[in-house]
Amino acid sequence: MSNNQSSQGPHVGLFITCPVDLIRPSIGFATVKLLEQAGCTVSVPEQSCCGQVAFNNGLPDETRALAWNIVQSFKDFDYVVAPSGSCGGMIREHYPELFAGDPRSAEVESFCRKVFELTSFLTDVLDYTPDTPNIDLSSQKVTYHDSCAGLRELGIKQQPRRLLKQCSGVEVTEMADTDVCCGFGGTFCVKYSDVSNRMVGDKTRNIQQSGASMVLGGDLSCLLNIAGKLQRDADPASGNSVVQVRHIAEVLAGDLAAPAIGEAAADSGKTS
């Protein structure tokens, strides 16, 4: 499917995710750009949290209420796409179990079958190949972090790597243990901060040892955790320079004007 596809392409509801909405909206704009280039019409309906935090903290009734709100907000779209394997996995894989035995279960299960993470949607559903890449990063050494939910719940592994090659000329330099958790895990990093810090330390050490100047991923929460650790441990004198951290949607869309995740904006001193 090319950039020149007719306007009769699928109507996609963009599930923006809480972290993207509140912390890094540039990921949302990049996602819209990519979907429109792939021939989709994109709308962003009123929405709430997907319920993952409540679900992981043992609050099924609260989660079910949030989930039903999402189903109703997005039910009329051809597809629902999220720039997050974590939120995508929550909706697609866990909503059906939440509604097991509920009179609404058939409607929920039907809805969940049209929910996709961004890179999976572009490759597995649309078989998208750009007419013209948005950016050329073939001279950059880039590594990739496979987030737990995207990899294990949704089978996302080669899709982002394929798109990086097609859309930006990037051959990913694989770090050691790329598929190992970064230690974020939502409230896990709060409840078990020492364990979480050790895990993200292992992750950032592998990133540094890969020699990459940029690390990408598909989940902003993981990337915030990784970027924070890279910033805290930066020591140019010992060779621990700060590696740029970006969401894959931004790179695929060629939207690199914003500072990398965790870097201060030049005019404000604020972080992204």
Side-chain angles (χ1 to χ4, degrees), residues 45-194:
E46 185 175 346
Q47 54 195 269
S48 67
C49 174
C50 69
Q52 183 175 181
V53 176
F55 181 75
N56 289 342
N57 282 278
L59 300 170
D61 292 338
E62 290 84 346
T63 309
R64 200 173 293 110
L66 288 167
W68 185 246
N69 178 61
I70 296 298
V71 172
Q72 294 305 298
S73 292
F74 285 88
K75 65 181 181 180
D76 293 328
F77 294 103
D78 298 322
Y79 295 98
V80 179
V81 175
S84 165
S86 180
C87 296
M90 174 64 202
I91 297 172
R92 189 176 176 98
E93 298 299 311
H94 296 293
Y95 278 17
E97 65 184 86
L98 271 171
F99 286 87
D102 189 289
R104 300 167 291 180
S105 62
E107 182 177 350
V108 171
E109 289 177 10
S110 176
F111 168 81
C112 290
R113 286 193 290 269
K114 64 180 184 181
V115 176
F116 292 88
E117 180 271 345
L118 174 63
T119 64
S120 175
F121 182 69
L122 290 173
T123 57
D124 300 334
V125 177
L126 298 184
D127 193 22
Y128 172 63
T129 300
D131 289 338
T132 305
N134 290 309
I135 195 169
D136 181 2
L137 292 180
S138 56
S139 61
Q140 287 252 29
K141 196 169 187 180
V142 173
T143 195
Y144 197 89
H145 166 66
D146 295 301
S147 66
C148 296
L151 178 67
R152 293 170 177 84
E153 292 185 338
L154 300 178
I156 298 166
K157 179 71 174 183
Q158 295 307 320
Q159 297 94 324
R161 290 162 173 82
R162 169 187 160 184
L163 288 167
L164 284 167
K165 177 62 175 175
Q166 292 173 331
C167 297
S168 56
V170 168
E171 290 280 4
V172 172
T173 299
E174 302 292 355
M175 72 175 98
D177 298 328
T178 182
D179 57 351
V180 173
C181 180
C182 73
F184 177 70
T187 53
F188 174 87
C189 67
V190 178
K191 293 179 179 178
Y192 306 101
S193 58
D194 290 343

Side-chain angles (χ1 to χ4, degrees), residues 190-249:
V190 178
K191 293 179 179 178
Y192 306 101
S193 58
D194 290 343
V195 177
S196 174
N197 187 59
R198 172 61 184 271
M199 293 172 74
V200 74
D202 290 343
K203 177 63 63 173
T204 55
R205 185 163 48 253
N206 289 336
I207 291 169
Q208 292 282 1
Q209 290 176 353
S210 75
S213 59
M214 184 183 296
V215 58
L216 306 177
D219 272 287
L220 179 56
S221 297
C222 298
L223 296 174
L224 288 166
N225 189 40
I226 291 168
K229 184 64 172 175
L230 285 168
Q231 291 282 345
R232 292 192 298 274
D233 290 352
D235 181 9
S238 66
N240 267 357
S241 58
V242 177
V243 179
Q244 280 201 8
V245 180
R246 292 190 181 273
H247 192 281
I248 186 173

Side-chain angles (χ1 to χ4, degrees), residues 250-272:
E250 296 175 306
V251 170
L252 296 178
D255 294 342
L256 304 187
I261 296 168
E263 290 184 355
D267 61 347
S268 67
K270 296 180 180 179
T271 56
S272 301

Side-chain angles (χ1 to χ4, degrees), residues 11-32:
H11 190 188
V12 170
L14 176 60
F15 184 75
I16 202 65
T17 83
C18 299
V20 170
D21 180 34
L22 298 173
I23 300 172
R24 188 84 171 177
S26 58
I27 295 169
F29 290 115
T31 299
V32 171

